[in-house]
Amino acid sequence: MREEHAQLQLRVEELAAARKSLYDGPSARATEAQRAKGKLTVRERLDLLFDPGSFREIEGFRRHRASGFGLEDRRPYTDGVVTGWGTVHGRTVFAYAHDFRIFGGSLGEAHAEKIHKLMDLAETAGAPLVSLSDGAGARIQEGVTALAGYGGIFSRNVRASGVIPQISVMLGPCAGGATYSPALTDFVFMVREIAQMYITGPDVARSVTGENITHEQLGGAEVHGSVSGAAGFVYDNEPDCLEDVRHLISLLPSNNRELPPEVVATDVPERRCEDLLDLVPADPNRAYDMLAVIERIVDDGDLFEVHSGWAPNVICGLARLDGHVIGIVANQPASFAGVLDIHAAEKAARFVQTCDAFSIPLVTIVDVPGFLPGRDQEHGGIIRHGAKLLYAYCNASVPRVQLIVRKAYGGAYIVMDSRSIGADLSFAWPINEIAVMGAEGAANVVFRREIAAAPNPAAAQAQRVKEYRQQLMHPYYAAERGLVDDVIDPADTRTVLIDALAMLRSKHMRLPSRKHGNPPT
């Protein structure tokens, strides 16, 4: 018995040594090279993501079975990806993380099979999935099997879409077909200087187009955060990035069968917002910062904004009202007067769809002069892209409340979740102007000939503008016709929204039977 116990003890010690080797990585030299790039190791990243001591690794001792090109002599454990689950703020979350120190984090057959298994587990368990990406793409030595591995990831991304939250965190290079996995997920985080995403790299661009461009200029975090819109969040360092990933998870349900987690509110539900009167000018042509308005209304002034650097003329973000998570879509008069354009419509449509998929009620705050005019917008497809936002709202079955702060003109008013497309409730401040267009433009169209023929055209125009505003743009015009449910004191906005959403919490819609819709592309 003693001999058997000694053998077992030896095996346990060998296991402990093997696990330590897994955690430490392939070599000190590889770790130093990782740090020289300004990057954390895969284990350090997982430690920052998960609650202390909660991560449970699976298939840590997996090795590839490939041969040729020297692979048979290099068979490290994990095969360059760490997979497992743990808790974030006490809730189960699954994650896979590339280890750039092993084969550059490249994807081979065994590597892909580990990710496939984890994705299947996350979907089965109904828990969020986080990918910590730091890989060099498909493992060239394994040929087409590596490419097939990506296909398996993509199909699972699509199958889990709208079922569990999927979050991509870009912490290194991501090139070629590999970029389509983050593009299929719900949220993408990137860290400046160390993360890049592109289909074809600088060398290919140079050889095909003659363009000289760096990795960062082609697909860096700043590019995707402010130009392409591929990244919703951009950070200067990994700890801040992963802390906000944790915060985002705290705002999302584990799956589409649950409601977002609620907390005990630390902000008073009945709190009046007296200073809103000072923040928003009555003059519809004066700019102001809508973020300041939102911060006065939501719990503790805390808005978690998505895509803050891209299409800033519309604000999208998650917040809480009386401890309950809401999604906010709002025009931003401080940027391009809050006009809707191609990027703004695309950004808001995607956010509305995400909120609807995960049972997050929507509050739409409107102060919009219309759609951006011009050849570039029309030729760029503003019709198609504007229709995306319209489709997303019309298709959403979550509670939907519209708040018209100031002006709401033309088709943009309709698209910003008006009652006519299915908003459950619509409220307006007493300075609201809801009309086909601004009074000046309307008068110039309706009374064009009369104004031109008048002895004093300027005076005639001013008179007609005044008449149009009094007859069709007064604050109660829409309320008289049932298109606004109530005109409210701005100071009561927070309380009104909380009461409305509390009433709508049990909302249930019976949707038509269909395979799926066909949204505009």
Side-chain angles (χ1 to χ4, degrees), residues 352-500:
V352 168
Q353 288 175 175
T354 302
C355 289
D356 186 52
F358 295 112
S359 303
I360 299 173
L362 287 160
V363 173
T364 303
I365 305 178
V366 184
D367 191 345
V368 63
F371 284 95
L372 182 64
R375 181 176 61 182
D376 290 345
Q377 288 291 306
E378 297 295 345
H379 290 189
I382 186 61
I383 295 173
R384 290 187 296 107
H385 293 287
K388 290 179 183 178
L389 180 54
L390 185 62
Y391 187 100
Y393 270 125
C394 291
N395 200 46
S397 60
V398 293
R400 293 156 50 190
V401 178
Q402 182 194 49
L403 172 67
I404 300 168
V405 170
R406 201 169 56 168
K407 59 185 176 295
Y409 296 159
Y413 153 67
I414 300 173
V415 168
M416 289 295 290
D417 204 21
S418 64
R419 282 292 305 277
S420 61
I421 65 169
D424 298 295
L425 291 168
S426 177
F427 300 103
W429 287 4
I431 56 171
N432 79 83
E433 293 185 352
I434 306 173
V436 175
M437 62 178 67
E440 290 79 6
N444 288 337
V445 171
V446 177
F447 305 108
R448 180 177 62 252
R449 292 180 181 175
E450 177 185 327
I451 292 171
N456 187 341
Q461 181 194 38
Q463 178 61 31
R464 287 305 190 182
V465 167
K466 180 179 178 181
E467 291 174 3
Y468 186 87
R469 181 171 280 117
Q470 289 175 341
Q471 293 182 31
L472 296 178
M473 295 179 66
H474 64 79
Y476 304 98
Y477 185 83
E480 290 171 0
R481 285 151 182 80
L483 296 174
V484 166
D485 291 287
D486 198 9
V487 179
I488 65 172
D489 181 345
D492 292 330
T493 300
R494 173 175 164 82
T495 304
V496 168
L497 292 177
I498 287 174
D499 289 347

Side-chain angles (χ1 to χ4, degrees), residues 32 35 49 52 80 128 171 237 243 250 316 349 397 411 483:
E32 289 171 7
R35 296 196 193 287
L49 174 64
L171 304 171
N237 59 72
E243 182 58 35
S250 75
C316 298
S397 60
L483 296 174

Side-chain angles (χ1 to χ4, degrees), residues 116-156:
H116 296 167
K117 178 176 180 177
L118 187 87
M119 296 178 78
D120 291 341
L121 279 173
E123 185 180 347
T124 300
L129 174 69
V130 178
S131 64
L132 304 181
S133 298
D134 186 7
R139 194 172 299 165
I140 298 172
Q141 300 95 319
E142 294 195 33
V144 72
T145 56
L147 296 178
Y150 275 121
I153 293 173
F154 302 157
S155 65
R156 286 168 172 82

